[in-house]
DNA sequence: CTAAACTGCAAACATCGTTCGCGGTTTTAT
DNA sequence: ATAAAACCGCGAACGATGTTTGCAGTTTAG
């Protein structure tokens, strides 16, 4: 009987997202900074020194204002991160039109996404945490669906395929960004015979330059092409 | 000519990892807490309230000591997170022995890993950040290699297959843990016709209960079985 | 036995995200 | 036109965080 801040109250509370929040009020002076400029400042800091360098004070200083002032535009630091995420995804424009070969189209999208991760490695940390998809994310998703339009399968399967594709892209991006290698110094290898044997063996040539395309091709044909038009 | 703290100095500096750091010195009193107890306290906090609840003070209070005292065991909070990660991976023991069917063996490992992610969702944030693999991670990797032993392909291909498998497992775990759905309230769907059409359509039955096995089977057979014994 | 090395602890430091109150500015309502 | 309301920028402050430091007590090496 207490706790009146539950949902479905008279003053319908918005979901507290940046995208539902009005860009500016209709009463006061015009804001000095745009959302895009704020996001760009955060992205510049993240590109230079990692996501940990993106503090409210650092972004505010880069913009020429103070930390408290940023809360006129954002309700939290997470809002800033979502702004940065969506602006980075906006760099994927212009979206390819895609021809009749849907697999080639998705592969092109995947390569663009991989390049984006290369330019902004911090996206690997932010993308899985986005609570509400921003406008650029929605547009990108719409493009994915458009390219998959000739595929005749259930809608849920397309969603799964898109999610799995972006996931696999992030896996490749992470391996490229991170050190990816083990730090085996001072490890007792006698207790791990198979690992020791694998390391004793020569690595075996370059690591298959086309592994990215190969993996996605395998995955997508297996997930989409093998299916009949079941379920609507 | 300043900055004498470069590498390769006379007092050979260890790589500053938890696993190379000695558990205890040989001079003072016996430490009051074990590494395992510290990791367990952190895991309990992370299981209960997420990784953000794992602060030095919180872990210290749970153990009955103070924050500063923890730095007798760890050199940073990241060390604590690596301790937690490796202890959680230790929950995968006992490792299955694996029969002659390597695909079934890897699938069993993958299911165990997925269940582990379900028990400890914070592992999704920590595992991709581990800088040096701990002993339990190494043992697990050795088991993966043992199960892949009958596969006749390059060592690098096995490494890639293992990495991709654990990656795909994390993707499924993330979809299970996160809300995964879009927050489409208040979005202008007219600008995204394909997304609007996909949402208008019925979802199309349950989301394929065997998608996990199917995906991994497709991926592993495509990555390993199709290859000849090239490269050593 | 002495000195070195180690432990636990409390206090302090710098930084972080966030809140609050102020004066000034723009719009709405009367 | 005038007053009230809503908004902006700003600086100071609050609580919490990771980490460092100095001190007293304890154990081992030489």
């Amino acid at each position: 009987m207490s706790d009146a801040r539950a949902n479905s109250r008279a003053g319908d509370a918005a979901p507290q997202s940046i995208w539902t929040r009005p860009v500016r009020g209709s009463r006061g002076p015009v804001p000095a900074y745009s959302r895009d400029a704020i996001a760009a400042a955060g992205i510049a800091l993240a590109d230079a020194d990692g996501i940990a360098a993106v503090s409210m004070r650092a972004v505010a200083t880069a913009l020429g204002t103070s930390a408290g002032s940023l809360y006129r535009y954002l309700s939290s630091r997470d809002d800033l991160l979502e702004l940065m995420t969506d602006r980075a995804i906006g760099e994927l424009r212009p979206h390819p039109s895609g021809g009749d070969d849907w697999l080639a189209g998705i592969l092109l999208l995947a390569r663009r996404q991989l390049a984006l991760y290369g330019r902004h490695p911090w996206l690997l940390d932010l993308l899985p945490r986005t609570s509400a998809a921003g406008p650029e994310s929605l547009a990108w998703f719409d493009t994915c669906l458009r390219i998959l339009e000739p595929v005749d399968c259930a809608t849920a399967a397309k969603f799964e395929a898109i999610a799995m594709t972006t996931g696999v892209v992030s896996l490749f991006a992470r391996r490229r960004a991170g050190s990816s290698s083990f730090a085996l110094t001072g490890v007792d290898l006698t207790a791990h015979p198979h690992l020791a044997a694998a390391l004793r063996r020569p690595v075996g040539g370059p690591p298959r330059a086309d592994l990215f395309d190969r993996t996605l091709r395998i995955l997508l044909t297996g997930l989409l092409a093998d299916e009949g038009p079941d379920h609507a």
Side-chain angles (χ1 to χ4, degrees), chain A residues 181-197:
Chain A
S181 61
F182 295 93
L184 294 167
T185 58
V187 173
D188 179 26
L189 280 184
T190 66
H192 308 111
H194 305 87
L195 181 56

Side-chain angles (χ1 to χ4, degrees), chain A residues 40-99:
Chain A
I43 287 177
L45 286 171
D47 286 343
D49 298 311
I51 196 61
V54 183
S55 66
M56 293 288 147
R57 285 172 176 83
V59 171
T61 304
L63 286 170
T65 178
S66 69
S69 301
L70 280 185
Y71 285 84
R72 296 285 171 189
Y73 304 82
L74 319 161
S75 61
S76 71
R77 180 174 181 260
D78 284 339
D79 278 3
L80 168 64
L81 300 183
E82 301 223 35
L83 237 53
M84 291 167 56
T85 300
D86 205 63
R87 189 185 199 271
I89 291 178
E91 291 184 15
L92 293 171
R93 288 187 183 272
H95 296 175
S97 55

Side-chain angles (χ1 to χ4, degrees), chain A residues 43 46-47 50-51 84-85 88 119-127:
Chain A
I43 287 177
D47 286 343
I51 196 61
M84 291 167 56
T85 300
R119 265 174 294 164
H120 308 297
W122 43 269
L123 268 181
L124 286 169
D125 299 327
L126 296 196
L127 254 193

Side-chain angles (χ1 to χ4, degrees), chain A residues 88-196:
Chain A
I89 291 178
E91 291 184 15
L92 293 171
R93 288 187 183 272
H95 296 175
S97 55
D100 50 345
D101 187 356
W102 61 267
L103 219 179
I106 292 290
L107 281 182
L108 176 59
L109 293 185
R111 273 189 291 265
R112 293 259 203 106
Q113 225 171 331
L114 184 64
L116 182 70
Y117 278 128
R119 265 174 294 164
H120 308 297
W122 43 269
L123 268 181
L124 286 169
D125 299 327
L126 296 196
L127 254 193
R129 301 192 183 222
T130 52
S131 61
E136 292 294 336
S137 295
L138 287 178
W140 177 258
F141 197 80
D142 192 72
T143 295
C144 292
L145 283 175
R146 173 165 53 80
I147 291 189
L148 284 185
E149 204 167 38
V151 180
D152 185 25
C153 71
T155 299
K158 293 186 182 180
F159 275 68
E160 288 160 357
I162 294 173
M164 200 56 57
T165 300
T166 69
V168 169
V169 170
S170 78
L171 295 182
F172 276 89
R174 206 179 287 274
R175 186 170 62 169
R176 182 181 301 182
S179 58
S180 83
S181 61
F182 295 93
L184 294 167
T185 58
V187 173
D188 179 26
L189 280 184
T190 66
H192 308 111
H194 305 87
L195 181 56

